[in-house]
Each structure stands twice: as structure tokens, then as C-alpha cells.
């Protein structure tokens, strides 16, 4: 099967490898022609995961039309902030019934729409849309270390299609009928990972990290249920699984941003300039505010991360405000 992977960052590159290992022909879309040419010439991505040779079944292009020509499935792996423009660019190039799976994580700030809703608004036919998420750092997937993800769609047929499309011996895929829950979990876990990183950078320990992860799960669950998702999703691969790995892994850019940048007084611009990577949690702590206000859900950790990253509140001042919050029932 021919599959178009839109986005040649670290995650897009790793997923292209998974698909090639599953026996598919992969066309990987890169933003620049130089990256595409390097992948085709050297079978390596010159900017991300460059130590790893990519299978011959992967070819690259910087042209949307070439990437989508003859494709039987489309995998979206672009930064969340670019999703609407990507959807508009692809609308005329993808057949109305071509299955699309979205692997980007976040919330559109102006509308509060999740990625799958943004694509449905621009391309229609929501039944052919799915989302993929889980505890799957690209740095380990590219090494073929055993990993698992969840594929969620309102259509069982679409979920099963992508479950089978990605499945290999080292990449297990499970299905869900709760794309709302899976996508909200994906946005939240990056925010909490920044908080955990800041806490370690401030010299706090594992007890504090466990506190933040657990209360982050409670915060995540409140929003998922309020938005119409299922509470149980928060206990699965897309929820607790992804939360733990993103908060604790050495590969987590969100934790690294909190620990090595925010806690040391550096900025998001510093991180972007030095790593050429997007910190999705820094965007999500802003965009989740739209849903926080819409549903009237209390998100103290998200609010705290936003105040530190975007409103110049010092990490120690923010931590003190959290510690001084009134005591409540664990679940409310």
C-alpha cells in the first residue's frame, strides 16, 4: 500500500520507518527540498534521527501533490499550530474517502477544536479520520524497541484500518472509539511534562514528580469527561501511558524544556533556536485555556505552566502558589 506521511520531523520519520517495516511504500513529505533530497540520496534525515538509515521503501518530497499522488492512506505529523493550513493545502489532493490519521497533538487556540475536528471542518467525511497517540518516543521507535499506541476513530472500520496499517512486531496498535479523549490526553501530557521538568530543574525529587503526574491525570480526566470523552481513556496508552513516558523519559523535549530551560531562566525561543524542535506543551498550555473557559473546568497545573512560560511568573513563585492552594477531595 502507498502511504503519504506529511511531516519529516522526528516523529514523522519514525512512523515512516514503522510503515516501511509493515511492508508499505512510503512517501515522506518534508518542508524543504534540501531535506527531501538528502533523504532520497542518503536514506537518512539530515535534521532528525540522522544516525539511523531509513529503509529503501521510504522516498521523500517537498511537494504535496507528489506526496499524495496515488496514496491509499495519509498520515499527518506536522506541528499542531500548522494543522489547519496543512488541511487546506491537502483538501484538493486527497480523495474524499482516503483514510487519514492525525498524529499531531494540541488544541486550536481560536476555536478550541481538536486536530481531528480541524481536519473534519476542512476536508469533511469525519468517518475516514482517526488519531494515533501513545507512549512512543521517536528515538526508541526508530530503534525498533517494543512500543504501543492507540488508534481512535468514531468509525470502527477506520480504527481497524489504521491499527492494521501500522502494526509490526515492535509497534503494537490498539483501537479506541474515543478520539476526543485520546486527543485531549495527548495535549495535556505535554503540559504536565513541562511542570515535571521544571520541578526537577528546581531541585525537587521523585515524590514531587509523582505528585504532578497524578494530579495531572486528575486534571486531564476532568477535562476529558467535560468535553464528552471517556474517563477510562485517561488510564490507557494515550493517557497514563503517554503521561508517564513524556514526564520521565530522557527523550522528552517537553520535560527537557522545563528542566534545562525554564527552570534556568531560559525561554521558548532559546529552546527552539538550539534544538529546531517544537515544544507542543508550551503551545497547549495556552490553547487549553479556550476549553477551560468553555467547560468551566479547573486546570491549576495548566494555568501554572502557562503563567511561567508566557506570563513571566518565576518558577518558585508559581510553585509556592500551587503549594498554598486549599486542600480538597482527591477527586472532584
Amino acid at each position: 500500500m502507498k502511504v503519504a506521511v506529511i511531516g519529516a520531523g522526528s516523529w514523522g520519520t519514525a512512523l515512516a520507518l514503522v510503515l516501511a517495516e509493515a511492508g508499505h511504500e512510503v512517501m515522506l513529505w518534508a518542508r524543504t527540498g534540501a531535506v527531501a533530497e538528502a533523504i532520497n540520496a542518503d536514506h537518512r534525515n539530515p535534521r532528525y534521527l540522522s544516525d539511523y538509515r531509513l529503509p529503501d521503501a521510504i522516498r521523500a518530497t517537498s511537494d504535496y501533490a507528489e506526496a499524495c499522488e496515488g496514496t491509499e492512506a495519509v498520515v499527518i505529523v506536522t506541528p499542531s499550530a500548522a494543522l489547519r493550513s496543512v488541511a487546506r493545502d491537502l483538501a484538493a489532493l486527497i480523495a474524499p474517502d482516503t483514510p487519514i490519521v492525525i498524529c499531531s497533538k494540541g488544541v486550536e487556540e481560536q476555536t478550541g477544536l481538536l486536530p481531528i475536528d480541524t481536519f473534519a471542518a476542512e476536508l469533511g467525511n469525519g468517518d475516514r479520520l482517526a488519531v494515533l497517540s501513545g507512549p512512543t518516543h521517536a528515538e526508541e521507535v526508530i530503534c525498533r524497541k517494543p512500543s504501543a499506541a492507540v488508534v481512535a476513530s468514531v468509525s470502527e472500520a477506520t480504527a481497524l484500518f489504521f491499527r492494521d496499517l501500522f502494526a509490526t512486531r515492535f509497534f503494537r496498535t490498539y483501537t479506541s472509539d474515543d478520539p476526543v479523549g485520546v486527543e485531549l490526553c495527548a495535549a495535556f501530557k505535554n503540559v504536565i511534562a513541562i511542570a515535571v521538568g521544571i520541578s526537577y530543574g528546581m531541585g525537587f525529587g521523585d515524590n514531587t514528580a509523582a505528585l504532578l503526574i497524578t494530579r495531572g491525570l486528575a486534571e486531564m480526566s476532568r477535562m476529558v469527561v467535560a468535553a464528552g470523552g471517556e474517563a477510562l481513556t485517561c488510564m490507557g496508552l494515550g493517557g497514563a501511558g503517554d503521561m508517564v513516558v513524556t514526564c520521565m523519559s530522557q527523550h522528552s523535549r517537553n520535560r527537557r524544556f522545563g528542566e534545562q530551560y525554564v527552570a534556568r531562566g531560559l525561554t521558548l525561543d532559546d529552546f527552539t533556536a538550539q534544538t529546531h524542535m517544537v515544544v507542543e506543551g508550551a503551545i497547549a498550555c495556552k490553547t487549553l485555556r479556550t476549553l477551560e473557559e468553555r467547560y468551566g473546568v479547573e486546570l491549576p497545573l495548566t494555568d501554572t505552566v502557562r503563567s511561567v512560560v508566557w506570563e513571566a511568573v518565576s518558577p518558585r513563585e508559581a510553585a509556592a502558589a500551587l503549594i498554598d492552594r486549599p486542600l480538597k477531595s482527591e477527586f472532584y
Side-chain angles (χ1 to χ4, degrees):
M1 183 176 296
K2 181 179 178 181
V3 183
V5 176
I6 307 300
S10 56
W11 190 213
T13 301
L15 285 177
L17 177 136
V18 171
L19 291 164
E21 290 283 324
H24 305 298
E25 176 188 348
V26 181
M27 182 63 78
L28 180 60
W29 178 87
R31 188 170 57 85
T32 68
V35 169
E37 290 169 8
I39 291 172
N40 291 332
D42 305 326
H43 298 288
R44 297 178 190 274
N45 188 326
R47 298 197 69 178
Y48 302 97
L49 306 175
S50 55
D51 291 339
Y52 300 95
R53 189 185 190 282
L54 300 176
D56 293 344
I58 298 174
R59 293 183 59 249
T61 180
S62 59
D63 181 73
Y64 278 134
E66 183 179 6
C68 295
E69 184 179 3
T71 188
E72 297 169 79
V74 179
V75 181
I76 305 296
V77 206
T78 58
S80 61
L83 280 176
R84 187 171 291 274
S85 63
V86 169
R88 287 173 176 168
D89 289 339
L90 295 177
L93 302 173
I94 301 174
D97 58 349
T98 300
I100 301 170
V101 64
I102 303 162
C103 309
S104 308
K105 301 170 180 179
V107 177
E108 190 170 53
E109 185 170 12
Q110 295 81 4
T111 65
L113 290 178
L114 297 170
I116 197 169
D117 298 322
T118 300
F119 261 71
E122 295 293 338
L123 278 75
N125 189 8
D127 283 352
R128 50 85 175 260
L129 300 177
V131 298
L132 181 145
S133 189
T136 50
H137 280 304
E139 294 85 352
E140 296 188 3
V141 171
I142 200 78
C143 296
R144 301 171 176 81
K145 294 182 178 180
S147 304
V150 59
V151 177
S153 175
V154 296
S155 163
E156 182 182 15
T158 301
L160 291 172
F161 172 86
F162 281 112
R163 180 199 68 181
D164 296 342
L165 188 80
F166 282 100
T168 71
R169 294 196 66 191
F170 69 89
F171 195 86
R172 292 182 62 82
T173 42
Y174 297 80
T175 59
S176 166
D177 61 359
D178 183 24
V180 170
V182 170
E183 288 201 309
L184 281 172
C185 288
F188 266 103
K189 57 93 178 182
N190 287 325
V191 177
I192 306 305
I194 294 175
V196 169
I198 294 172
S199 76
Y200 276 120
M202 293 172 63
F204 299 145
D206 296 339
N207 288 356
T208 310
L211 162 67
L212 292 169
I213 291 171
T214 307
R215 297 312 301 160
L217 283 168
E219 190 166 303
M220 171 195 291
S221 300
R222 289 196 298 271
M223 178 57 77
V224 166
V225 171
E230 301 173 12
L232 190 60
T233 298
C234 301
M235 294 297 101
L237 289 165
D242 209 1
M243 175 81 82
V244 170
V245 78
T246 308
C247 289
M248 302 306 294
S249 173
Q250 61 180 326
H251 301 305
S252 171
R253 72 184 68 169
N254 289 278
R255 173 180 166 165
R256 186 162 73 250
F257 170 62
E259 185 172 7
Q260 299 179 11
Y261 287 78
V262 179
R264 298 178 182 179
L266 300 175
T267 68
L268 182 60
D269 288 340
D270 294 325
F271 183 92
T272 303
Q274 293 178 25
T275 67
H276 307 292
M277 292 182 173
V278 175
V279 183
E280 290 286 11
I283 309 301
C285 69
K286 286 179 62 180
T287 56
L288 282 167
R289 188 173 198 166
T290 303
L291 297 182
E292 182 179 7
E293 294 172 351
R294 178 180 299 169
Y295 294 111
V297 176
E298 190 178 32
L299 306 178
L301 293 179
T302 302
D303 293 343
T304 299
V305 172
R306 182 173 61 249
S307 72
V308 173
V309 174
W310 296 103
E311 298 166 10
V313 176
S314 75
R316 294 206 174 273
E317 181 182 347
L322 275 176
I323 291 170
D324 291 337
R325 279 172 51 81
L327 300 177
K328 296 184 178 182
S329 172
E330 182 175 14
F331 300 110
Y332 62 93

